[in-house]
Amino acid sequence: NSADSSAGVPDRLAVVRVAAGESLQDVAARVAPDTPVRQVVERIRELNDLDSSMPVAGQTLIAPIG
């Protein structure tokens, strides 16, 4: 119902690899630096069906980029 929640999140998706010590917040800031981190984190969680905000180093995630 709420299309507003991801209105500012980039539509383009890519597979990104998590670096050692990175949190989802770090990944979000890296892949979409001009978008609010919280919105990008929420989208990454949705796309990858994640519960945790601490991904494993080397893990690949689908993420919005831009």
Side-chain angles (χ1 to χ4, degrees):
N1 286 346
S2 175
D4 297 289
S5 64
S6 61
V9 177
D11 290 334
R12 209 168 83 198
L13 301 177
V15 176
V16 298
R17 187 173 301 273
V18 178
E22 270 190 321
S23 67
L24 284 184
Q25 288 81 3
D26 297 326
V27 173
R30 174 167 55 92
V31 300
D34 297 329
T35 308
V37 170
R38 199 180 94 197
Q39 290 180 350
V40 179
V41 168
E42 285 177 25
R43 186 70 178 125
I44 292 171
R45 282 188 172 155
E46 289 172 10
L47 290 166
N48 297 279
D49 196 27
L50 297 176
D51 292 329
S52 171
S53 62
M54 247 350 247
V56 179
Q59 180 177 1
T60 56
L61 297 171
I62 299 168
I65 59 168

